[in-house]
Amino acid sequence: MYKTPAFRNILLLIFTAVVLVSLSIVLYWKHLDNVLEQREKADIFSAGQTLAKEFNYQIDAELQVLASVGESLEGLPRVEDTKGLMLYLARQKQRNNFEMMGFQFPDGKTYFSDSSAQNDFLSAEAISAAYRDNYYVSRSAAHDDKRIIIVKPVYRNGNKAGVLFAAQLTAFYETALYREPVPGYTQWFIAGADGDIILGRNNAAAGCLKQIPPDNGAARCSLSGRDYFISSVPLEYNNWRLLALQPNPGHRPQKQLTAAVFMCVAIIIVLGVLLLFIILAYRQHSDALYRSAFIYHVTGLGNHNYFESNFARTADAFRKNKIPFALTAVNINRFKAINDIYGFEQGDKILKHAARILKEEVKENELLCHSSADRFLLLLACPDRAEFNARIEKILSRISHFCQDEKLCLEITVNAGMYLVDEDVPFYIMIDRANMALNSIRRDAGQTFAFYNDAYREQIKLISEIESKMNAALADGQFKVFIQPKYDFKTRRIESAEALVRWQDAKKGLIPPDKFIPVFEKNGFVLKLDMFVLEETVKLLARRIKEGRRVVPVGVNFSRLHLEDARFIDAVTEIVDRYNLPHNLIELEITESIAFDSGKTMRGVLDALHARGFTVAMDDFGAGYSSLNILKDLNFDCVKLDKEFLTRGETSERMRHIISGTVEMIKKLGCVIVTEGVETKEQVEFLTAIGCDLAQGYVFSRPLPSADFEHLLDEDVLKTKL
Ligand code: C2E
Ligand code: CA
Ligand code: CA
């Protein structure tokens, strides 16, 4: 019947958590990747630096060797001794591990350590650079000559004596410098300023040269689909650079990442389980809250709040599909009386029975609630008026037959008031309209349901008509007091009576009080009218006393509104005293529901009235909110059993026992018992048997115009002789 708070929110929460965690993993991955890349770069750079340093050392050492050989040549007496020179060079070459050595005189004559060597690699620029810088290091100028040439000038007595030079195979450096500073695949090579490769162990990746920044540093480089880290370190000679290169190991963060993902998944699982617990606890809690906020405990149906909060959605769906719909109030009549008579347990069973039937009858797209004790609200589709009426009739008739078991079956009267929603008015106004329709039902005419739209217009018209005329009618004497005798079973005479007002309208004739008293109760005019009826009654009785004719106490009805008025008792006393009428001839009839509403006020009023010698009757006992407790707490002089009470006695033997028991109890409290609405001889017999004191009803006399009543009282005869 109801839905727990949206599961969507929870899913959203979980989704957000997953997104956040995934995002964190991605960010962590990026960070890790970055950190590792920096590390890779740092590694390759330091490898490059080491290699560069070693290469610089190597060249430095070779230049030093040349320098010391050159110095020893300076000291030799016969440099021109070419044979000796060549022998010397050959020895030095061997000792110092050069591939070749040579000496060139300023006149261009050149001598080598090996007789087969040719001077095709030493350019004029190399020689002048050597004199200028005091050394020269270069690649061999000869085509396809994979050698490095180092040159050192030699002086004799301060004059240029020639240049000493040595050649070394590039492979020598490659082997000498070969290292694996970074375990794995470090490659390296030396590039010239113009980007050509001078030497290198593996220069296949020389293409990276174009992508690497020329200064000191490392970078990432991609080459024919492969990814490398490459570092560039400047060398001391000729703007050469040492380039170290290593393929990107790729997916390096995998391990760390796997650990991170594993951790995240573990965290998600732990959090998930925790969340699940929290959600379960929350749902239990919110279910309980929901039940207390939206469920009517007796029937388990949604309550008024539930109905109100789902109303707009249901109504909108009807509107969208262009289906007319009706707000329907279903009421179990006299439910309080059912509770009093059969007990709360039985009352609850009846409510559950009604709830079950309503649940069965209400369709998916409609709405139902248990609004208050005996009231249900429904929002029903009403595409066709005739079909709808039949549906309502069926629902009401199903509810009205209640059988607890084979022995106990009850006929409950159930009514429905409908507002066919045709205006966009606030919810509470719709409820008012359905209730108004409910209240307009003429149960006495066998009506069980009514629509607001019909009843309302009629009622509004009537009310405004009544209100526009009431003051003039009172001044004009259009309100007439009728009197109905009360018959005493013991003395078999009229021992009491009740004053009942009627409205004698020129056009409409005699209007019964049911038509206008409720209106006057709403607008307060009943306060004036009751006092008018009291005064008319007092006048009549006072006159009869004066005329020496028989009088009996007369009951006058007083609306509950008087109880709020502090001057009420004084006003009553003032009227009665004005005609010098003994107080005990006036009995105030007050409807019992009033006593229920405000027990304390009622007790005060009763005490004050008693103190002044008036008697007070509790009217309509058994009609609505009857409770024997009220009688226990408030000392009424008389209890008037409602017509309904008698009708119920006719339903079963069991009911009759309950009624006689109730009467017996009331009598024990010292109250006089009057039964209203006695219409048949059988009822008279039953009432006599159970010990009722007085009877008021059509079987003896209807309420009569005062003159007719006086005549009846004078004659002391009744229509029915028992
Ligand atoms: P009530 O005080 O319960 O009055 C008894 C009603 O029962 C009267 O209806 C009377 O005509 C009706 N009655 C009497 N015997 C029988 C019977 O055998 N069978 C049936 N079916 N009905 C019977 P009435 O005069 O139409 O008054 C209706 C209600 O209007 C009264 O109920 C009372 O609540 C109210 N009322 C009447 N006059 C006044 C008044 O002056 N002031 C106030 N405040 N209310 C009044
Ligand atoms: Ca009455
Ligand atoms: Ca009554």
Side-chain angles (χ1 to χ4, degrees), residues 539-682:
K539 261 197 241 172
L540 182 144
L541 290 172
R543 176 174 49 74
R544 280 185 70 94
I545 292 176
K546 228 185 205 168
E547 292 168 358
R549 292 155 81 185
R550 183 174 177 236
V551 288
V552 290
V554 178
V556 178
N557 293 286
F558 283 95
S559 157
R560 76 189 78 175
L561 295 184
H562 293 289
L563 300 185
E564 322 269 293
D565 183 1
R567 292 160 308 171
F568 166 57
I569 295 163
D570 285 343
V572 171
T573 315
E574 193 272 318
I575 290 171
V576 181
D577 287 351
R578 206 189 306 155
Y579 297 92
N580 283 321
L581 189 76
H583 291 184
N584 64 357
L585 285 178
I586 294 296
E587 181 163 63
L588 292 91
E589 292 195 7
I590 298 170
T591 302
E592 57 111 350
S593 65
I594 309 158
F596 185 81
D597 286 348
S598 47
K600 271 194 194 137
T601 329
M602 191 64 206
R603 193 169 311 147
V605 171
L606 273 177
D607 289 348
L609 287 169
H610 283 149
R612 296 185 190 200
F614 295 107
T615 58
V616 188
M618 180 202 254
D619 209 352
D620 299 344
F621 183 86
Y625 304 87
S626 312
S627 163
L628 289 170
N629 267 340
I630 301 171
L631 292 175
K632 182 186 79 191
D633 295 339
L634 305 168
N635 55 337
F636 284 100
D637 305 281
C638 169
V639 172
K640 297 187 78 181
L641 303 185
D642 192 73
K643 293 187 268 289
E644 199 78 4
F645 220 71
L646 267 191
T647 350
R648 258 192 258 134
E650 275 157 12
T651 55
S652 73
E653 181 69 33
R654 202 176 145 87
M655 197 55 217
R656 275 197 286 281
H657 285 311
I658 292 170
I659 295 174
S660 64
T662 311
V663 167
E664 199 180 322
M665 271 197 283
I666 296 173
K667 287 203 70 164
K668 277 196 185 131
L669 293 170
C671 300
V672 172
I673 295 189
V674 180
T675 312
E676 296 180 317
V678 185
E679 293 179 349
T680 64
K681 282 190 177 174
E682 289 74 32

Side-chain angles (χ1 to χ4, degrees), residues 114 144 218 333 389 439 537 546 583 596 624-625:
D114 305 60
D144 214 19
N333 294 325
N389 288 357
N439 294 334
T537 310
K546 228 185 205 168
H583 291 184
F596 185 81
Y625 304 87

Side-chain angles (χ1 to χ4, degrees), residues 167-202:
Q168 190 65 282
L169 287 173
T170 50
F172 169 83
Y173 299 103
E174 283 160 6
T175 315
L177 265 68
Y178 176 66
R179 288 275 156 59
E180 247 192 349
V182 177
Y185 315 96
T186 308
Q187 305 160 19
W188 63 273
F189 52 96
I190 289 171
D194 48 1
D196 55 335
I197 302 295
I198 296 176
L199 62 89
R201 267 188 70 76
N202 181 349

Side-chain angles (χ1 to χ4, degrees), residues 415-431:
N415 293 147
M418 274 86 67
Y419 168 54
L420 197 63
V421 180
D422 54 1
E423 249 183 287
D424 196 9
V425 291
F427 175 70
Y428 71 93
I429 292 187
M430 293 191 192
I431 301 272

Side-chain angles (χ1 to χ4, degrees), residues 281-434:
Y282 169 78
R283 281 191 71 164
Q284 261 177 359
H285 177 69
S286 61
D287 270 11
L289 264 182
Y290 186 89
R291 291 197 75 78
S292 68
F294 288 112
I295 299 294
Y296 203 98
H297 61 286
V298 177
T299 51
L301 289 184
N303 63 12
H304 196 87
N305 289 341
Y306 162 80
F307 192 82
E308 188 169 355
S309 56
N310 284 282
F311 181 85
R313 194 170 38 82
T314 314
D316 285 347
F318 281 133
R319 286 193 190 104
K320 204 175 128 206
N321 298 317
K322 298 206 162 46
I323 301 171
F325 57 100
L327 179 67
T328 306
V330 169
N331 187 64
I332 298 177
N333 294 325
R334 300 260 182 273
F335 183 69
K336 283 281 172 193
I338 293 173
N339 265 341
D340 288 340
I341 296 160
Y342 299 101
F344 283 109
E345 205 182 318
Q346 198 66 18
D348 285 356
K349 277 187 189 155
I350 289 171
L351 289 177
K352 281 177 193 157
H353 151 82
R356 183 178 53 78
I357 288 165
L358 288 172
K359 227 167 160 177
E360 281 170 17
E361 297 284 349
V362 166
K363 294 180 188 127
E364 187 84 330
N365 59 339
E366 300 175 325
L367 194 61
L368 159 70
C369 88
H370 188 168
S371 166
S372 62
D374 51 3
R375 180 74 52 106
F376 297 85
L377 286 176
L378 300 92
L379 197 60
L380 302 174
C382 175
D384 177 272
R385 194 69 175 256
E387 263 177 36
F388 185 71
N389 288 357
R391 185 178 174 202
I392 293 291
E393 257 169 12
K394 182 187 159 208
I395 293 175
L396 296 182
S397 104
R398 279 191 70 192
I399 297 177
S400 64
H401 300 294
F402 170 72
C403 283
Q404 190 192 322
D405 47 47
E406 279 167 17
K407 273 187 206 146
L408 182 64
C409 278
L410 289 176
E411 278 301 313
I412 316 158
T413 39
V414 192
N415 293 147
M418 274 86 67
Y419 168 54
L420 197 63
V421 180
D422 54 1
E423 249 183 287
D424 196 9
V425 291
F427 175 70
Y428 71 93
I429 292 187
M430 293 191 192
I431 301 272
D432 274 357
R433 291 183 176 180

